[in-house]
Amino acid sequence: MKNEQGFDFEEELQKLPGKPGVYIMHGQQDEIIYVGKAISLKNRVRQYFRKGADGRAKIEKMMPQVTRFEYIVTDSELEALVLENNLIKEHTPKYNTLLKDGKTYPFIKVTLGDAYPRLVFSRQMKKDKSKYFGPYTSSASVRDTIDLLQKLYHLRSCNRVLPRDTGKDRPCLNYHIKQCDAPCQGYISQEEYKSHVDQALLFLNGNYDPIRKLLEEKMLAASENMEFEEAAGYRDLLNSVNQVAQKQKITNSDFEDRDVVAMAMDKGEAVVQVFFVRDGKLMGREHFYMTLAPEDTEEGILGSFLSQYYGGTPFLPKEIMMEKEPENREELETWLTNRRGNKVSIKIPKIGQKEKLVELAAKNALLVLAKDRERLKREEARTLGAMKEIADLLELPMLKRVEAFDISNISGFLSVGSMVVFEDGRPKKNDYRKFRLKTVTGPDDYASMYEVLSRRFSHGIREQEELAEKGLNTEYGRFSKLPDLIMMDGGRGQVNIAQKVLEELHLSIPVCGMVKDDNHRTRGLYFQNLEVPMDTSSEAFKLITRVQDEAHRFAIEFHRSLRGKNQVKSVLDEIEGIGPKRRRALMKHFASLDEIKEASVEQLREVDGFNSLSAQSVYDFFHVEQS
């Protein structure tokens, strides 16, 4: 059965693979509200949709709010555990239990920056000279492995600063029981000690067989000698080594930002999967449905995708990893480097962890193409398709970015403005902006909208000029990227206000109004002095309704948050450095708020208790553009 968003739960549950992975539940605003892991996605996710199957109260409360789910397939349960952890920390979903202390899965840290490196248990990766291995899922196994490697290769476990502290204290017990070569006494050279560290690094890099063979031989020998307790100890150590030996690709200790791009093709259709790796951690993914021409090649499709995708996204990673080389690779690298401002590399890894991560992205792309073809077509229709419908309806050449504005207040009290952004038919929440009204008192929506639009587009023009001076494009600014269409919450009046602002700033941007009926429901668009007739069942109409509802929601939530903080009614509260005593002095000295706004710095200094700094602060608040 489909919900209002067109997501068919029964159909999607049938498509779930019986593989390990992470599932992601989305809420009413398409936000992530829950992230979970599964040994079998097919079995685990289905449980949520059986009445009373999960049993937890929070899950029963959550499920009515779920509008869709998605999943990322991994190669092992370990990878699912680590990816779940990364996603929870990144998105802080409402219904997940969050670790307030930042505790996470453990790593083995090799302090290569020390003259005599140590193996250390760590729960965080830092940008230092150390090398990190992990993360692992068992703290006990990590500690056992560190202990084993220290004993095997006689690595120190103390935290003395060497060679500074050499010879200051007697050697510890580990030296006397022949488990450490006492670098603290200078009994072993740095070169020889380093060779021991290198052997431990070989193990941590994947050369597990020598240690496994040694432990198995000792376990069998102890067993044959009837020393069962000792044999059990070797068995436990062997289990710890095997747990640490599990490979995962979800976190890497190089802290690099990279995108992993892979594609699956079938019958004239393709899905491109992009994994986003930030600070060495896989933090999310996106997939893109593509319709192909008969003569298209894989290399050509990938090259076309890179130019289209990275031509419209503000963030460019240092490295893009791909399964196959795209067409015009060198030209793409040069273009990407120019856009980012420093080197961007396109790499096709052939071995190791990076190659496995590309392989995982390709596997997910293939699953999406095989199981989600129809859903992707529907999603494309409600996003890109809807934007194209609106562009055709208004006779615009193209439509990628839409900005919508709304005002919220209660009888003029704490008036606020909201700006929401949709790109390619999807909300782009990082570009949303909030405005506290400064120049308007009372319930004047037209004047309020004039202030909001003036501030937004004046700031955008200045930012464009500043970026141009630095040789940067508009993707690097907070306001510099201008919309292809402005949508106003209202009809002719609001449209006229927007057009007045644009004329004053010498900007040419199409403006339309989102008109509501007597029941406050979206009715259609007002454009170029005419109400444009619309099919209320069309994807374009549905998208306009979503844009209008989102602008209204965002403004109301901002207004509610201000009221919830018990903000007093005066706009003077917002001026930095002006407390209650000076506010009272201002209101006593001047007859009205308008007089305060029009006062010079010299006039403000005459207020009781004011100095040059506080007078300048008040003057700047009303005269220097702020966003």
Side-chain angles (χ1 to χ4, degrees):
M1 183 176 176
K2 294 181 183 179
N3 60 14
E4 293 178 1
Q5 288 74 24
F7 190 87
D8 192 324
F9 286 104
E10 287 298 327
E11 181 183 335
E12 298 304 323
L13 288 170
Q14 293 296 323
K15 297 175 182 177
L16 285 164
K19 297 181 179 181
V22 168
Y23 53 92
I24 303 163
M25 302 289 189
H26 289 259
Q28 300 292 332
Q29 305 301 324
D30 208 38
E31 76 280 21
I32 294 175
I33 60 175
Y34 189 76
V35 175
K37 62 184 179 299
I39 299 174
S40 169
L41 288 164
K42 186 175 186 177
N43 295 338
R44 184 69 186 102
V45 178
R46 281 180 170 180
Q47 290 179 2
Y48 287 91
F49 296 90
R50 295 173 187 160
K51 191 172 181 180
D54 188 278
R56 288 176 290 174
K58 72 174 182 179
I59 298 301
E60 290 182 11
K61 186 177 179 182
M62 174 189 80
M63 289 312 296
Q65 301 177 44
V66 175
T67 57
R68 70 181 181 95
F69 63 81
E70 59 177 321
Y71 55 87
I72 302 174
V73 170
T74 60
D75 285 334
S76 68
E77 184 184 2
L78 168 63
E79 289 183 349
L81 282 165
V82 177
L83 179 55
E84 177 200 36
N85 187 50
N86 290 350
L87 293 176
I88 289 173
K89 288 186 178 297
E90 173 71 8
H91 299 288
T92 58
K94 180 179 180 180
Y95 289 97
N96 279 100
T97 302
L98 305 178
L99 296 175
K100 299 298 183 184
D101 61 356
K103 189 175 179 181
T104 185
Y105 291 118
F107 298 85
I108 295 176
K109 174 181 177 180
V110 186
T111 62
L112 296 179
D114 296 344
Y116 294 89
R118 298 180 297 145
L119 302 184
V120 181
F121 179 98
S122 176
R123 286 195 179 273
Q124 289 184 327
M125 286 196 301
K126 297 180 180 178
K127 292 186 178 180
D128 53 22
K129 295 179 180 179
S130 300
K131 189 171 181 63
Y132 293 83
F133 296 89
Y136 305 107
T137 55
S138 169
S139 300
S141 295
V142 169
R143 296 184 193 279
D144 287 346
T145 302
I146 291 173
D147 188 51
L148 173 64
L149 293 174
Q150 285 172 340
K151 290 175 181 177
L152 283 174
Y153 301 116
H154 292 196
L155 303 180
R156 69 188 183 104
S157 59
C158 66
N159 57 6
R160 295 175 185 176
V161 180
L162 303 179
R164 188 194 70 186
D165 295 340
T166 301
K168 288 187 177 180
D169 290 301
R170 291 178 295 176
C172 67
L173 178 64
N174 284 345
Y175 168 73
H176 295 291
I177 61 177
K178 302 188 185 309
Q179 290 184 4
C180 179
D181 290 330
C184 60
Q185 302 302 310
Y187 294 166
I188 182 172
S189 67
Q190 279 187 237
E191 291 73 21
E192 188 179 353
Y193 186 91
K194 184 179 180 299
S195 70
H196 294 186
V197 173
D198 288 343
Q199 291 179 68
L201 287 173
L202 280 175
F203 168 84
L204 293 170
N205 277 310
N207 188 16
Y208 309 114
D209 289 340
I211 291 181
R212 281 174 171 157
K213 187 176 180 181
L214 176 66
L215 291 172
E216 286 173 355
E217 289 173 353
K218 289 189 174 186
M219 180 178 68
L220 291 171
S223 180
E224 288 173 1
N225 293 330
M226 308 288 284
E227 296 169 344
F228 299 118
E229 189 173 339
E230 188 174 344
Y234 288 125
R235 178 203 62 201
D236 293 342
L237 275 176
L238 185 60
N239 288 337
S240 293
V241 168
N242 287 334
Q243 280 203 323
V244 168
Q246 289 186 72
K247 283 290 186 180
Q248 61 85 29
K249 308 171 282 292
I250 306 305
T251 299
N252 193 287
S253 61
D254 62 7
F255 293 96
E256 292 292 352
D257 292 336
R258 58 172 58 93
D259 286 355
V260 183
V261 180
M263 182 178 69
M265 296 174 59
D266 183 39
K267 297 177 183 177
E269 297 172 335
V271 165
V272 178
Q273 185 92 202
V274 184
F275 278 179
F276 307 114
V277 179
R278 302 293 178 257
D279 285 331
K281 299 177 182 177
L282 177 58
M283 303 307 295
R285 62 91 186 263
E286 188 65 83
H287 47 248
F288 302 88
Y289 180 82
M290 303 182 76
T291 303
L292 313 180
E295 64 275 9
D296 285 340
T297 63
E298 289 188 55
E299 295 78 6
I301 297 164
L302 287 169
S304 176
F305 172 79
L306 292 182
S307 61
Q308 291 180 57
Y309 176 69
Y310 291 108
T313 184
F315 180 82
L316 282 169
K318 183 178 180 181
E319 184 177 284
I320 300 170
M321 297 196 314
M322 307 186 72
E323 193 176 29
K324 295 183 179 178
E325 185 168 327
E327 196 174 79
N328 303 320
R329 175 179 173 178
E330 291 184 6
E331 291 86 345
L332 283 168
E333 284 185 323
T334 302
W335 172 68
L336 291 166
T337 296
N338 290 335
R339 284 206 67 230
R340 189 175 192 266
N342 47 47
K343 180 66 176 173
V344 176
S345 301
I346 298 174
K347 296 185 177 179
I348 295 83
K350 299 298 184 184
I351 57 172
Q353 185 181 23
K354 292 182 179 179
E355 189 271 336
K356 295 295 183 185
L357 187 55
V358 174
E359 188 180 292
L360 184 64
K363 184 184 296 184
N364 276 270
L366 191 60
L367 273 170
V368 169
L369 183 61
K371 298 180 179 296
D372 292 358
R373 181 180 279 122
E374 293 305 316
R375 184 178 65 81
L376 282 170
K377 285 183 177 178
R378 291 196 300 270
E379 180 65 16
E380 184 184 37
R382 72 188 293 269
T383 54
L384 290 170
M387 292 286 271
K388 187 176 185 307
E389 282 183 33
I390 295 171
D392 292 343
L393 200 65
L394 304 181
E395 298 182 355
L396 302 176
M398 60 85 68
L399 189 57
K400 180 177 178 63
R401 180 184 175 99
V402 168
E403 291 182 5
F405 297 84
D406 194 11
I407 300 294
S408 180
N409 63 63
I410 298 178
S411 300
F413 167 44
L414 278 177
S415 290
V416 298
S418 73
M419 173 184 117
V420 300
V421 179
F422 277 62
E423 280 196 2
D424 293 329
R426 293 183 176 90
K428 192 176 183 185
K429 296 194 176 184
N430 286 343
D431 284 7
Y432 285 17
R433 296 291 177 259
K434 304 170 182 176
F435 300 85
R436 295 283 298 271
L437 275 296
K438 300 175 181 177
T439 63
V440 180
T441 54
D444 189 338
D445 281 358
Y446 288 162
S448 298
M449 188 61 76
Y450 179 85
E451 178 188 332
V452 167
L453 293 172
S454 297
R455 286 167 59 187
R456 184 267 177 267
F457 289 107
S458 296
H459 197 138
I461 292 169
R462 284 200 311 276
E463 205 168 65
Q464 283 185 348
E465 293 169 351
E466 292 167 1
L467 290 170
E469 289 176 3
K470 298 175 183 176
L472 298 174
N473 63 36
T474 57
E475 303 289 348
Y476 290 89
R478 294 178 69 248
F479 282 94
S480 55
K481 194 172 182 182
L482 301 182
D484 303 309
L485 177 68
I486 298 170
M487 287 187 166
M488 306 299 299
D489 185 43
R492 176 180 297 181
Q494 293 286 14
V495 170
N496 289 342
I497 290 293
Q499 288 174 335
K500 180 182 178 184
V501 171
L502 295 173
E503 287 170 9
E504 290 174 356
L505 298 174
H506 307 292
L507 291 173
S508 178
I509 302 172
V511 183
C512 67
M514 296 178 285
V515 186
K516 294 183 178 180
D517 60 20
D518 295 338
N519 295 316
H520 210 65
R521 291 178 301 199
T522 306
R523 186 176 72 207
L525 292 180
Y526 178 83
F527 185 63
Q528 295 181 343
N529 298 318
L530 294 171
E531 186 168 330
V532 180
M534 295 194 69
D535 177 1
T536 56
S537 64
S538 68
E539 293 295 346
F541 183 82
K542 293 173 185 175
L543 177 58
I544 292 165
T545 302
R546 291 198 297 274
V547 170
Q548 189 170 35
D549 290 345
E550 181 69 351
H552 192 54
R553 177 199 67 80
F554 191 56
I556 287 175
E557 284 191 1
F558 180 36
H559 192 260
R560 188 181 295 128
S561 72
L562 297 180
R563 299 201 314 270
K565 294 173 184 174
N566 296 317
Q567 298 284 340
V568 295
K569 298 181 182 180
S570 175
V571 72
L572 300 178
D573 291 359
E574 301 175 40
I575 306 175
E576 187 175 351
I578 304 301
K581 188 173 181 179
R582 282 177 172 156
R583 284 199 299 272
R584 287 195 296 271
L586 276 171
M587 296 307 296
K588 185 176 180 180
H589 188 89
F590 294 100
S592 67
L593 184 61
D594 287 337
E595 283 193 16
I596 298 173
K597 293 175 185 175
E598 294 167 5
S600 65
V601 175
E602 291 72 22
Q603 290 171 320
L604 290 165
R605 285 186 61 186
E606 296 172 4
V607 178
D608 186 35
F610 271 60
N611 54 28
S612 298
L613 187 63
S614 53
Q616 191 69 49
S617 183
V618 174
Y619 181 85
D620 287 347
F621 180 80
F622 290 112
H623 294 84
V624 176
E625 181 65 34
Q626 299 176 41
S627 57

